[in-house]
Amino acid sequence: MMHSRIELTPKAPPLALSVFIICKNEEAYLENCIESLAGCAEIVIVDSGSTDGTLPLIRRYIAAGWPIRLFEEAWRGYAGQKQFALEQCTQPWCLNVDSDERLDGPLRAALPRLLNAEPEVVAWRVARRPYLIGHGFTPLHVRERKNLRLVRRGKGAYDLSQAVHEGISADGTVRNARTGSLLHYRPLPMDEQILKENHYSTLKADQAYNTGRRPKALSLVFSPPIYFLRLYLKSGLWRCGTSGFIEAMTGAVYSFLTQAKLHQRHALRYRANLDDSQNR
């Protein structure tokens, strides 16, 4: 892999912003992520045991003068790992970015305004635009719902009970960033994407089961199509042709798997599997 863009030539005072990233074996994605963070005062990277070229890549950026602080930390779960990374940040504002995400131009341009928010604003929700196989990144007006990613240091924390789709809980006013997006680049073919959805739905179903949530037949029937319609119509994936339909349908599959697994976990509590074919 070529690494030709590591040289850092600051042209302006850095933004008072710590960007924090967790990673493991992300050599294929991390370089473009780091490059999109030029101009930030601090980049905190927490690695949980990479065996590919991720760590050498990070160290080349450090050697070139990038403001990266690297930590090697055993896996604590998604929420625990991100909370550890957040706690290492030293700047007034902290931004969570995944290793397969990049800041688009409008978001980089909006950051000075977001960081200069009035004191009562403690966090910002930011849009996310995925890369669709056969289409590319979704247009500016086609994006996932906004998630809280930018928070004042000391004004937010992760809910450690969340096994997947972890998010920051903020102590104060949260607003939506009007412009800018995180670009999500991990174009997995369906063969691999369905394995990822299967894994995430298992984490979600186990979390729901362990907290005592009971399955509902209506959720099993209606959650998948509602999930599809939210992505396809409300988020605007219909504008992306067949690629957008596949993306929305994949979300519906994740929803169905989560509900079906929760239903089966409860079903096995009351009726264990038994091969009674001799009585049939």
Side-chain angles (χ1 to χ4, degrees):
M1 178 180 293
M2 297 296 293
H3 301 285
S4 58
R5 297 176 296 155
I6 294 179
E7 182 179 357
L8 179 63
T9 54
K11 299 180 180 179
L15 293 171
L17 174 65
S18 294
V19 180
F20 60 102
I21 305 165
I22 65 170
C23 66
K24 180 180 180 180
N25 294 335
E26 295 289 349
E27 179 187 12
Y29 302 102
L30 187 57
E31 181 172 18
N32 281 342
C33 176
I34 294 174
E35 290 285 341
S36 75
L37 306 177
C40 298
E42 180 178 62
I43 303 171
V44 172
I45 301 180
V46 179
D47 185 87
S48 56
S50 290
T51 56
D52 64 354
T54 297
L55 291 173
L57 170 66
I58 296 170
R59 290 179 178 126
R60 283 195 290 271
Y61 274 94
I62 294 173
W66 285 68
I68 294 175
R69 297 172 61 221
L70 173 62
F71 298 84
E72 297 182 57
E73 183 72 14
W75 183 243
R76 300 167 173 235
Y78 290 105
Q81 201 76 354
K82 288 189 176 182
Q83 179 62 32
F84 174 83
L86 174 59
E87 290 170 357
Q88 312 314 310
C89 296
T90 64
Q91 294 297 308
W93 285 88
C94 309
L95 172 67
N96 173 227
V97 178
D98 291 342
S99 55
D100 56 5
E101 294 175 339
R102 303 88 176 83
L103 278 64
D104 69 3
L107 180 54
R108 290 194 295 270
L111 278 175
R113 177 182 59 81
L114 300 180
L115 302 186
N116 196 38
E118 49 268 34
E120 63 267 22
V121 177
V122 303
W124 292 93
R125 298 185 189 94
V126 180
R128 189 170 183 259
R129 292 192 285 133
Y131 183 97
L132 308 182
I133 292 177
H135 180 85
F137 289 112
T138 58
L140 288 172
H141 50 279
V142 179
R143 57 198 182 191
E144 300 174 0
R145 59 185 174 187
K146 297 180 178 182
N147 296 307
L148 198 163
R149 293 296 195 94
L150 179 60
V151 63
R152 290 187 192 270
R153 185 163 61 92
K155 292 295 184 178
Y158 284 89
D159 181 353
L160 300 183
S161 69
Q162 299 296 308
V164 66
H165 301 313
E166 66 292 335
I168 302 172
S169 297
D171 182 19
T173 300
V174 180
R175 291 186 180 169
N176 292 330
R178 293 193 301 271
T179 60
S181 310
L182 291 168
L183 301 175
H184 179 221
Y185 183 80
R186 191 177 291 267
L188 298 178
M190 187 54 64
D191 317 60
E192 299 177 37
Q193 184 65 35
I194 203 66
L195 296 177
K196 181 178 177 181
E197 302 299 337
N198 184 51
H199 173 63
Y200 282 175
S201 64
T202 294
L203 294 176
K204 190 71 172 179
D206 285 344
Q207 176 180 299
Y209 179 80
N210 293 334
T211 56
R213 178 180 163 191
R214 299 189 61 81
K216 297 180 181 178
L218 289 178
S219 295
L220 181 64
V221 173
F222 291 109
S223 286
I226 290 173
Y227 204 110
F228 171 83
L229 292 172
R230 177 174 63 81
L231 292 176
Y232 194 65
L233 297 180
K234 185 176 181 180
S235 296
L237 284 174
W238 62 271
R239 299 175 182 270
C240 301
T242 303
S243 299
F245 179 85
I246 292 173
E247 179 77 359
M249 186 60 72
T250 302
V253 169
Y254 161 78
S255 177
F256 171 76
L257 289 174
T258 301
Q259 296 297 330
K261 290 174 182 179
L262 178 60
H263 176 86
Q264 290 187 338
R265 280 155 176 68
H266 277 274
L268 287 171
R269 290 179 58 187
Y270 303 106
R271 182 173 178 174
N273 292 329
L274 174 64
D275 183 356
D276 59 350
S277 55
Q278 69 276 10
N279 299 323
R280 299 292 174 175

